[in-house]
Amino acid sequence: MEMRSQFLLSYFAAAASATTYFLTVYAPGTEVDGALINAASQGFYLSLDGPSTYCPTNVANCPKVEGTLVNGGMTAMAVQVPGGQQIYAAVDGQVQFTKAHSSSTPPGSLVGGWFNKTVVVSDCDEEPPRYVFDYLAPDGSNKGGVKICPDVPAAIRDTGAGYSLYVGTKAFNESFCIDAVGLNLMPKNVSIGAWQYV
């Protein structure tokens, strides 16, 4: 029991001091478990070497790219660009982010719906519970869940992207997806991940 308490204290201390998070998949027993998620082409993908970012030449001090970072509520990207970049679920369930300087999302898309979920890994007190982010569509449809799907847009197939991040929505219709338990939000003690993600 003491080990569990120490783990919880260190987890919450790290989470409280971190301002941003990078994402990995929690899907035990699958090929994607633990995979890092990166931003590219206005979406989120597995198997990329890093995020796709941009900083204009007229910016005096472009921030160091710290990876794909999101805020704690999974509602926005951790960017420096004025106006930010909002995270949303497209009508078909693909998790995407807005272009720079805009919070405008496509018609029918969903903003929000992410929630913390406690996962009991074992009944043994030796192993502490895990805390992951899961999804429930905020439109009252009772659809949800995190899905890792092999459908990757043609525009980024040559980058090595192997899977796309989706969530369950009314119009979700992808095939051969892996149902993940959730997303691990891994704390990083920086406030900005990039000027903007593209």
Side-chain angles (χ1 to χ4, degrees):
M1 188 67 168
E2 184 177 321
M3 185 176 170
R4 177 181 282 185
S5 298
Q6 289 173 344
F7 171 81
L8 291 175
L9 286 174
S10 63
Y11 175 85
F12 288 119
S17 65
T19 56
T20 59
Y21 301 83
F22 65 92
L23 306 170
T24 64
V25 177
Y26 184 59
T30 72
E31 64 191 82
V32 298
D33 185 44
L36 182 65
I37 300 171
N38 272 301
S41 193
Q42 305 308 130
F44 295 88
Y45 303 94
L46 282 62
S47 304
L48 294 174
D49 289 335
S52 179
T53 64
Y54 173 75
C55 186
T57 55
N58 64 341
V59 172
N61 294 306
C62 289
K64 177 183 172 191
V65 175
E66 297 283 351
T68 298
L69 300 181
V70 300
N71 71 7
M74 188 75 177
T75 56
M77 306 300 289
V79 292
Q80 188 172 329
V81 67
Q85 292 181 279
Q86 188 171 13
I87 297 172
Y88 64 93
V91 173
D92 66 354
Q94 187 180 16
V95 181
Q96 300 180 337
F97 54 93
T98 60
K99 294 184 178 186
H101 312 290
S102 175
S103 61
S104 177
T105 61
S109 59
L110 301 169
V111 176
W114 296 98
F115 66 94
N116 287 305
K117 177 168 76 173
T118 303
V119 179
V120 177
V121 180
S122 89
D123 294 332
C124 178
D125 280 344
E126 302 287 317
E127 197 164 348
R130 292 185 69 102
Y131 302 92
V132 298
F133 246 37
D134 201 354
Y135 183 84
L136 181 64
D139 61 0
S141 65
N142 207 30
K143 301 290 183 182
V146 174
K147 293 152 187 321
I148 309 299
C149 301
D151 181 29
V152 175
I156 66 164
R157 281 193 192 128
D158 292 340
T159 64
Y163 289 91
S164 302
L165 177 61
Y166 278 79
V167 290
T169 61
K170 285 191 285 191
F172 175 80
N173 195 28
E174 293 295 312
S175 301
F176 309 110
C177 298
I178 297 169
D179 289 324
V181 177
L183 300 177
N184 295 307
L185 269 69
M186 312 300 284
K188 188 151 186 176
N189 199 20
V190 296
S191 58
I192 301 295
W195 172 262
Q196 78 181 71
Y197 294 99
V198 293

